[in-house]
Amino acid sequence: ASREMYLYLVFCIFLYCNEVDALTDQTIQLVTDWAPLIWIHPEEPFFPSSVQFHLDHVQVNNGDDVTLQESPDISSILSGSETGSYHLNTKENLSCVHCYQPFFSGEPLDRTPVYTFVTEHNDDCSTVDATYLFFYPFNYGKDVCVGLEEFGFCVGEWRTFGNHVGDWEHVSLRFQNGQ
């Protein structure tokens, strides 16, 4: 896919106790009709991806940075109360703040799922909450002038803060009485 400006309709993967059938037809229609349009800037180098695409390029390490799982996938990734200090590391180390790996660019948008969590509250207002989640393999932080910035110049030094591997973005909507 080219890196042109994209407006794309979010296609949803409904997650509700792992069964779409648990949602009413009206809720599925409402959440689909109101799925957000996402605009991605034509110069954006970091696109979203599926979680599995990301997992293909990372490993599970413990708090001592010992690799515990080299090839996690959605169904086999380590989980449980003992994993509190575990984290995902890129399989190849990043040697600098501006070092990137090819998978940081994400996937073509036509292969990128949007994970959607839906809750029907079954209250007097027929409240439905929908959260549309987008996963990005990489999030570029901000270049900040540590010193004094005037007219785009930095007296001091520029530093990058906030780069991180793996990032969730989301949009949440609340519907009441079908609107």
Side-chain angles (χ1 to χ4, degrees):
S2 66
R3 299 288 188 185
E4 299 172 5
M5 184 184 323
Y6 285 97
L7 263 179
Y8 73 100
L9 177 62
V10 172
F11 293 98
C12 302
I13 295 176
F14 291 99
L15 301 174
Y16 183 84
C17 301
N18 296 323
E19 294 186 26
V20 174
D21 297 339
L23 299 172
T24 66
D25 290 342
Q26 180 183 1
T27 294
I28 292 171
Q29 189 65 51
L30 185 68
V31 170
T32 302
D33 288 348
W34 284 91
L37 293 174
I38 305 299
W39 178 77
I40 295 181
H41 193 277
E43 295 175 16
E44 174 61 53
F46 306 114
F47 277 42
S49 76
S50 67
V51 171
Q52 186 57 57
F53 175 83
H54 181 71
L55 291 176
D56 291 342
H57 301 281
V58 297
Q59 59 196 19
V60 178
N61 289 7
N62 67 13
D64 296 322
D65 239 5
V66 173
T67 300
L68 302 176
Q69 189 175 19
E70 289 189 18
S71 298
D73 64 38
I74 291 172
S75 61
S76 71
I77 193 165
L78 298 171
S79 62
S81 60
E82 71 279 1
T83 63
S85 67
Y86 295 3
H87 54 277
L88 298 175
N89 275 30
T90 57
K91 290 181 180 178
E92 294 181 33
N93 285 330
L94 300 174
S95 58
C96 70
V97 72
H98 291 292
C99 294
Y100 305 114
Q101 294 184 10
F103 82 94
F104 288 179
S105 295
E107 293 182 282
L109 294 176
D110 62 353
R111 285 193 271 153
T112 303
V114 173
Y115 302 93
T116 305
F117 293 87
V118 178
T119 302
E120 293 177 308
H121 292 278
N122 298 318
D123 58 8
D124 291 340
C125 296
S126 301
T127 303
V128 173
D129 289 328
T131 301
Y132 307 86
L133 294 118
F134 318 92
F135 185 80
Y136 288 79
F138 182 76
N139 186 53
Y140 184 83
K142 302 287 182 246
D143 293 325
V144 177
C145 175
V146 179
L148 177 65
E149 181 181 356
E150 284 292 326
F151 308 108
F153 295 98
C154 178
V155 178
E157 67 176 319
W158 289 101
R159 291 182 131 179
T160 301
F161 292 96
N163 286 1
H164 54 278
V165 177
D167 187 54
W168 285 100
E169 300 294 343
H170 74 279
V171 174
S172 294
L173 299 177
R174 170 164 278 186
F175 304 99
Q176 292 185 315
N177 298 316
Q179 32 184 344

